[in-house]
């Protein structure tokens, strides 16, 4: 969604307005927000204000009395009544005009019946953010909040407990800020679009290219945000209390922002149903079914001709009916207007687009506050009803979904578990340490020739620190997009200089680095110390929302001066890369004068500490790449706008992601990551056989086989339809991970499955489980796995059925030379 509150943000206006005008509009909006959003203001921020007094819940008798109302006459404030009845009473009291004024992200409330305003737009991608129209703000007693690493960094940790812990801290800080009048309770995070193409500008926001990893990240982050610990689950999921509402976005098939002439506002993603089920929908299904997210956001783009926010099959049928969403559906901001203004879909008017989106299942329309324009629902909703395009009952249903969510959040009744939280619960020492630990866990060691790392602080007395100023003194770059105001920032320079006696620095900007003078100074700097560290990479001007990349190279001719520094240095240099998407650093990988490469991503407020800890051996890196790093030639092999995942020989497309890519342009594979120690695997399992009886009510499905590879005779049941099976079969095994080196360290154990080799158009392999474990030096740890057959061995056929194929599948544990494997024979007994 657009970063309208940030000067670096892109939006639909990027090509329509001069930058100076955009900056002026943003400044005016910021001033207006600051003036209006303080505690006690009448803008609907919690605590709610009436006549200058703050209240932390709607249903406070004194608040109603201040409005001249008797709360006892309003059934929606009777806490003994089920939520559904209370919401029905609330909505029923509103007239149509009042209802419609509460269908946008800046809901106006209805003072006549005691309903306050509410600002729905909140962002918490990697910490509490003030992006949006004033719903969350810093200043006064809350100057900042913990800024965690960008999502792509956290994903590289492959640690589900870490993801849940981050969500838990973020929601605690939100609740504390809510009590102080600095926040609301609904946040449109996480972003769980699969990173299908390495050029996508929003790579930093996502958990990577694997739909299973993305889904597990979503489940854990959402649980951390929403779960109220120690509260028993309600029998009715619509009554289950939630700590903070978390929203999985952007549904669906969204990962093109601005690539040459392709623009997210007009892009029509042509997607096969198999790819929808297998890749684009899977993380969202996991987020809703397993994470019980209370919100889903639909995206700007069209899918096979239909806008995502007006597709009833996606919203009402899939999200709400099939996956059983217990919450509301919101538009990406301005998406309904985009249907009319940009996509010109069916030449719809504002009334028609409003009606189409609401009938499709959209409950809340986020507008674009920085344009000074209201959202379409509040603008055209009354006319849509009056003209007979929708029923007033459709409006009632949408309001029921949003206000039930607020009931579950304690917006009306309060939530005792969190009422004591305040300023001392934001930016705590534990929270900042978790941010540092998350950054450490996400560091990936890409290359380490001759054990160049770690640097020994007892032997390295001086360091030459060379690179771009914005990376060495990374007060901005490390925070990435959708950031708030951090508690503090520890830059690489600040952290590294604490490790050594002397630090010699040459920091240049993007224009001065590659000049003769700049390269000369950098080369001289590299010669005067015991070790040279070069910190470089990308920033938000290269990869961000509404700005896709055109190549995978380091910009500003960084390659030239990095090689010059390496050549001048008396010892092999260490290269640290800040980026989200992959970068073609083949030159560095192949240069013996560059001894080690560390991918630091955008590591958040504590990123400098994490970088220094890894470089100087205080922490043994255990992160793994959550996306494939390609060589730059990949961008010439397949256009970003091709949505297909599988190779297309007729067009010369090599396929996408580790699951399907079959070309030569790979630099570092998905899951790549080195350590300062060595590990080995062993397992007592050498194979397994699973017999699945096919019941009378179940139906076998056909399989697509490779040419000339179909088994003969053909099996009586080629494949089992997962949707019709109980799915209780499990393959269990254990892997012993031994640390054969001299230093303890974390190790990620990935488990893949590969379908029978005769099956056509199937994934080469697919990740089905992973565990991050710590193994002391010289010790071994047993890591157990139990793979549900329907989840771990299933594939999506070309018919879009999800099936378990009969035959011999393979379990692969680990990557590269470390991997071990065993066969699993699946018999489908008719």
């Amino acid at each position: 969604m657009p970063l309208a509150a940030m000067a670096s943000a892109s939006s639909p206006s990027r090509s329509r307005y001069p930058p100076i005008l955009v900056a002026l509009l943003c400044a005016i909006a910021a001033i207006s927000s600051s003036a209006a959003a303080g505690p006690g203001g009448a803008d609907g921020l919690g605590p709610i204000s009436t006549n200058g007094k703050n209240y932390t819940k709607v249903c406070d008798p004194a608040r109603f009395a201040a409005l001249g109302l008797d709360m006892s006459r309003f059934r929606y404030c009777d806490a003994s009544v089920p939520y559904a009845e209370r919401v029905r009473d609330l909505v029923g009291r509103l007239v149509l005009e009042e209802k419609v004024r509460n269908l946008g992200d800046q809901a106006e409330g209805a003072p006549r019946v005691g309903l306050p305003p509410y600002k729905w737009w909140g962002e918490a991608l990697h910490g509490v953010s003030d992006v949006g129209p004033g719903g969350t703000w810093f200043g006064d007693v809350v100057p900042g909040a913990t800024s965690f690493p960008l999502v792509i960094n956290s994903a590289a940790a492959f640690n589900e407990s870490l993801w849940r812990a981050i969500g838990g801290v973020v929601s605690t800080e939100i609740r504390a800020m809510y009590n102080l009048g600095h926040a609301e309770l609904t946040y449109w995070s996480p972003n769980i679009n699969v990173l299908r193409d390495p050029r996508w500008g929003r790579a930093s926001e996502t958990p990577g290219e694997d739909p299973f990893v993305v889904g597990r990240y979503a489940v854990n982050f959402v649980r951390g945000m929403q779960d109220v610990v120690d509260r028993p689950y309600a029998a009715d999921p619509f009554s289950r209390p939630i700590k903070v509402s978390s929203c999985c976005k952007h549904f669906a098939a969204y990962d093109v922002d601005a690539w040459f002439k392709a623009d997210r506002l007009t892009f029509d993603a042509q997607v096969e149903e198999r790819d929808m089920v297998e890749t684009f929908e899977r993380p969202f299904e996991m987020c809703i079914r397993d994470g019980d997210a209370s919100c889903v956001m639909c995206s700007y783009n069209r899918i096979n001709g239909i806008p995502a926010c007006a597709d009833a099959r996606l919203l009402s049928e899939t999200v709400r009916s099939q996956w059983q969403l217990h919450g509301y559906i919101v538009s990406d901001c301005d998406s309904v207007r985009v249907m009319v203004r940009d996509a010109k879909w069916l030449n719809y008017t504002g009334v028609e687009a409003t009606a189409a989106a609401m009938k499709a299942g959209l409950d809340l329309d986020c507008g674009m506050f920085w344009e000074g324009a209201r959202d379409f629902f509040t603008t055209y909703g009354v006319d849509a009803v009056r003209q007979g395009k929708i029923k007033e009952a459709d409006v009632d249903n949408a309001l029921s979904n949003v206000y039930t969510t607020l009931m579950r959040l304690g917006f009306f009744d309060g939530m005792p578990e969190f009422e004591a939280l305040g300023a001392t619960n934001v930016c705590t020492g534990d929270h900042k340490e978790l941010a540092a630990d998350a950054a450490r866990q996400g560091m990936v060691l890409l290359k380490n020739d001759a054990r160049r790392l770690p640097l020994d602080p007892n032997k390295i007395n001086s360091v030459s620190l060379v690179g771009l100023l914005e990376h060495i003194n990374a007060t901005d770059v490390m925070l990435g997009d959708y950031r708030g105001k951090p508690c503090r920032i520890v830059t690489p320079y600040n952290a590294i200089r604490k490790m050594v006696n002397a630090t010699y620095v040459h920091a240049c900007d993007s224009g001065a680095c590659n000049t003769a003078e700049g390269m000369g100074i950098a080369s001289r700097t590299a010669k005067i110390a015991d070790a040279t560290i070069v910190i470089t990479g990308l920033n938000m001007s290269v990869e961000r929302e509404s700005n896709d990349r055109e190549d995978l190279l380091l910009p500003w001719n960084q390659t030239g001066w990095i090689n010059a520094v390496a050549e001048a240095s008396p010892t092999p240099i260490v290269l640290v890369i800040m980026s989200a998407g992959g970068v073609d650093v083949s030159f560095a990988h192949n240069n013996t004068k560059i001894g080690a490469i560390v991918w630091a991503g955008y590591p958040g407020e504590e990123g400098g500490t994490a970088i220094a800890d890894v470089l100087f051996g205080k922490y043994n890196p255990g992160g793994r790449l959550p996306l494939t790093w390609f060589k730059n030639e990949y961008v010439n092999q397949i256009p970003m706008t091709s949505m297909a995942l599988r190779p297309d020989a007729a067009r010369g497309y090599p396929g996408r992601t580790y699951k399907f890519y079959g070309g030569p342009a790979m630099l570092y594979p998905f899951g790549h990551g080195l350590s300062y120690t060595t590990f080995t695997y062993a397992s007592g399992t050498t194979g397994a056989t699973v017999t699945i009886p096919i019941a009378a009510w179940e139906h076998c499905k056909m399989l697509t086989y490779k040419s000339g590879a179909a088994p003969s005779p053909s099996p009586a049941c080629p494949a089992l339809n997962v949707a019709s099976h109980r799915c209780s079969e499990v393959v269990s095994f254990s892997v012993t991970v031994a640390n054969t080196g001299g230093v303890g360290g974390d190790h990620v154990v990935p488990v893949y499955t590969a379908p029978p080799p005769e099956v056509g158009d199937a994934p080469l392999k697919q990740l089905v489980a992973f565990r991050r474990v710590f193994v002391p030096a010289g010790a071994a740890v047993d890591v157990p796995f139990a793979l549900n057959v329907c989840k771990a061995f299933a594939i999506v056929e070309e018919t879009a059925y999800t099936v378990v194929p009969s035959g011999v599948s393979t379990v692969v544990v680990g990557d590269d030379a470390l991997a071990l494997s065993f066969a699993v024979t699946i018999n489908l007994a008719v």
Side-chain angles (χ1 to χ4, degrees):
M1 85 178 2
L3 303 185
M6 297 172 58
S8 64
S10 296
S11 65
S13 71
R14 185 168 67 121
S15 61
R16 293 177 171 83
Y17 302 106
I20 189 170
L21 178 57
V22 175
L24 179 60
L25 290 171
C26 291
I28 293 171
I31 294 169
S32 300
S33 296
S34 298
D43 60 357
L45 292 173
I48 304 149
S49 174
T50 303
N51 295 336
K53 182 177 180 181
N54 288 334
Y55 301 88
T56 56
K57 59 184 179 181
V58 172
C59 296
D60 185 317
R63 194 186 74 84
F64 273 76
L67 292 168
L69 301 172
D70 180 0
M71 193 183 84
S72 66
R73 300 179 59 185
F74 294 86
R75 183 172 172 80
Y76 77 81
C77 275
D78 186 345
S80 68
V81 175
Y83 287 167
E85 293 183 30
R86 295 173 65 183
V87 170
R88 190 179 305 117
D89 175 73
L90 171 60
V91 175
R93 291 175 182 273
L94 305 176
V95 300
L96 177 61
E97 288 76 11
E98 289 172 324
K99 292 175 181 178
V100 167
R101 287 197 291 269
N102 288 282
L103 290 175
D105 63 283
Q106 299 189 71
E108 297 182 16
R112 182 181 62 85
V113 299
L115 181 66
Y118 184 80
K119 293 185 176 180
W120 287 86
W121 188 343
E123 303 287 352
L125 181 72
H126 57 109
V128 188
S129 170
D130 54 356
V131 171
T136 306
W137 64 284
F138 296 103
D140 172 304
V141 294
V142 188
T146 309
S147 186
F148 288 92
L150 270 292
V151 177
I152 196 72
N153 287 73
S154 296
F158 284 85
N159 187 342
E160 296 194 44
S161 62
L162 172 68
W163 302 337
R164 187 169 297 213
I166 291 173
V169 165
V170 172
S171 60
T172 292
E173 296 197 343
I174 288 170
R175 273 287 178 175
M177 292 176 65
Y178 174 76
N179 291 343
L180 297 166
H182 281 254
E184 296 285 20
L185 296 173
T186 48
Y187 285 77
W188 295 337
S189 305
N191 180 343
I192 59 167
N193 296 114
V194 171
L195 184 55
R196 173 188 59 94
D197 190 288
R199 290 163 285 192
W200 191 29
R202 303 187 75 167
S204 66
E205 301 178 34
T206 76
E209 72 180 35
D210 182 80
F212 175 73
V213 172
V214 175
R216 292 309 303 167
Y217 177 89
V219 169
N220 284 280
F221 183 84
V222 168
R223 287 290 183 186
M225 287 279 281
Q226 293 195 163
D227 284 359
V228 180
V229 180
D230 297 330
R231 275 270 194 125
Y233 271 34
D236 174 15
F238 288 99
S239 299
R240 182 171 76 87
I242 50 178
K243 185 179 179 184
V244 169
S245 175
S246 186
C247 190
C248 287
K249 64 184 186 185
H250 314 77
F251 189 66
Y254 165 53
D255 58 3
V256 173
D257 267 58
W259 184 73
F260 292 101
K261 294 183 179 180
D263 181 276
R264 63 179 175 174
L265 307 182
T266 58
F267 183 61
D268 185 5
Q270 297 296 305
V271 187
E272 293 183 1
E273 282 300 308
R274 173 168 55 181
D275 288 334
M276 282 294 291
V277 172
E278 184 178 53
T279 299
F280 299 114
E281 290 183 351
R282 189 182 185 196
F284 289 91
E285 181 176 7
M286 295 169 70
C287 180
I288 296 169
R289 288 188 186 274
D290 302 330
D292 198 19
S294 55
C295 170
V296 168
M297 175 182 284
C298 54
S299 54
Y300 288 113
N301 56 289
R302 285 169 288 162
I303 303 172
N304 300 326
I306 304 175
C309 290
D311 192 331
R313 187 174 73 95
L314 285 177
L315 304 186
S316 291
E317 180 182 330
T318 302
V319 168
R320 191 165 294 283
S321 297
Q322 292 182 14
W323 298 346
Q324 292 291 295
L325 173 71
H326 306 126
Y328 69 101
I329 302 174
V330 63
S331 71
D332 199 345
C333 293
D334 221 27
S335 291
V336 183
R337 186 192 308 271
V338 162
M339 297 180 201
V340 177
R341 183 191 61 198
D342 301 280
K344 297 179 173 55
W345 183 56
L346 301 179
N347 291 318
Y348 268 8
T349 64
V351 169
E352 291 169 328
T354 294
M358 186 167 289
K359 287 198 294 187
L362 189 63
D363 299 311
L364 191 72
D365 183 16
C366 177
M368 291 295 291
F369 78 96
W370 55 267
E371 286 186 342
R374 298 175 68 192
D375 59 88
F376 260 35
F377 275 17
T378 58
T379 302
Y380 297 107
V382 171
D383 288 342
V385 174
R386 300 288 187 219
Q387 294 178 23
K389 303 294 185 183
I390 53 174
K391 298 177 290 187
E392 187 172 353
D394 296 328
V395 177
D396 295 348
N397 184 63
L399 288 175
S400 295
N401 290 329
V402 297
Y403 282 117
T404 298
T405 303
L406 288 182
M407 285 273 183
R408 296 174 62 196
L409 284 162
F411 180 69
F412 287 87
D413 304 322
M415 198 168 286
E417 291 93 333
F418 309 119
E419 289 175 359
L421 296 175
T424 58
N425 301 104
V426 181
C427 289
T428 69
D430 287 345
H431 294 182
K432 287 182 282 191
E433 176 52 34
L434 181 63
D437 190 46
R440 285 187 288 258
Q441 290 195 40
M443 295 281 159
V444 181
L445 181 61
L446 299 176
K447 172 186 178 180
N448 196 24
D449 286 356
R451 298 185 180 273
R452 181 67 183 121
L453 290 177
L455 301 174
D456 187 344
N458 296 316
K459 297 179 180 179
I460 302 294
N461 294 312
S462 60
V463 166
S464 290
L465 197 56
V466 181
L468 296 176
L469 175 62
E470 63 181 330
H471 293 114
I472 291 175
N473 191 38
T475 56
D476 181 75
V477 171
M478 292 194 304
L479 301 179
D481 265 349
Y482 284 92
R483 75 280 192 94
K485 293 179 173 60
C487 308
R488 64 181 184 184
I489 299 178
V490 181
T491 69
Y493 168 72
N494 288 335
I496 290 172
R497 69 175 182 169
K498 293 179 181 179
M499 295 285 188
V500 293
N501 294 328
T503 305
Y504 305 101
V505 179
H506 173 62
C508 54
D509 62 35
S510 58
C513 295
N514 199 48
T515 63
E517 180 182 6
M519 292 177 69
I521 296 173
S523 297
R524 290 193 295 274
T525 303
K527 293 178 179 179
I528 59 177
D530 297 331
T532 299
I533 300 170
V534 175
I535 304 180
T536 187
L538 311 181
N539 62 26
M540 292 292 113
S541 74
V542 177
E543 49 179 356
R544 70 175 189 279
E545 183 173 354
S546 259
N547 191 66
D548 298 325
R549 297 161 66 191
E550 296 179 6
D551 60 50
L552 304 180
L553 301 173
L554 286 172
W556 315 306
N557 199 23
Q558 294 178 77
T559 300
W561 61 261
I562 292 171
N563 279 330
V565 170
E567 184 61 32
S569 175
T571 58
I573 70 170
V574 174
L575 179 63
V576 178
I577 300 171
M578 290 189 187
S579 75
V583 182
D584 184 354
V585 289
S586 302
F587 75 94
H589 183 78
N590 297 325
N591 188 343
T592 57
K593 295 279 287 181
I594 299 177
I597 308 173
V598 174
W599 179 62
Y602 298 127
E605 67 170 44
E606 307 293 324
T609 296
I611 290 171
D613 286 351
V614 167
L615 296 184
F616 287 88
K618 292 183 66 175
Y619 187 85
N620 186 356
R624 290 173 177 257
L625 290 179
L627 71 163
T628 304
W629 278 34
F630 292 99
K631 297 178 182 178
N632 192 55
E633 62 192 81
Y634 180 83
V635 303
N636 300 316
Q637 295 177 330
I638 185 169
M640 192 172 173
T641 48
S642 171
M643 300 298 293
L645 276 295
R646 287 164 173 78
D648 186 338
R651 291 182 172 89
Y653 297 169
R656 297 186 181 279
T657 78
Y658 78 94
K659 293 174 66 174
F660 302 105
Y661 179 73
M666 187 185 299
L667 177 61
Y668 298 119
F670 172 90
H672 176 71
L674 306 177
S675 172
Y676 295 155
T677 189
T678 53
F679 298 95
T680 61
Y681 288 170
S683 177
T685 302
T686 58
T689 298
V690 179
T691 299
I692 302 177
I694 305 300
W697 65 83
E698 296 180 308
H699 300 282
C700 295
K701 299 299 179 185
M702 300 305 295
L703 271 180
T704 300
Y705 293 107
K706 295 176 182 176
S707 178
S712 182
S714 178
C717 184
L720 170 67
N721 183 11
V722 166
S724 67
H725 190 61
R726 290 194 178 96
C727 294
S728 59
E729 294 82 6
V730 172
V731 173
S732 298
F733 61 96
S734 182
V735 176
T736 300
V737 181
N739 184 337
T740 57
V743 58
D746 283 355
H747 181 72
V748 175
V749 185
V751 178
Y752 303 88
T753 61
E758 66 269 17
V759 177
D761 276 345
L764 301 172
K765 63 178 182 178
Q766 55 188 357
L767 189 70
V768 297
F770 55 88
R771 289 274 305 278
R772 184 177 178 121
V773 295
F774 179 80
V775 188
V781 174
D782 287 330
V783 186
F785 292 96
L787 305 182
N788 179 280
V789 172
C790 284
K791 293 181 178 180
F793 294 89
I795 60 173
V796 180
E797 250 292 302
E798 65 178 355
T799 56
Y801 279 117
T802 301
V803 302
V804 174
S806 66
V808 181
S809 293
T810 304
V811 170
V812 181
V813 182
D815 294 295
D816 304 323
L818 191 60
L820 62 80
S821 64
F822 59 88
V824 175
T825 302
I826 298 177
N827 297 318
L828 303 178
V830 179

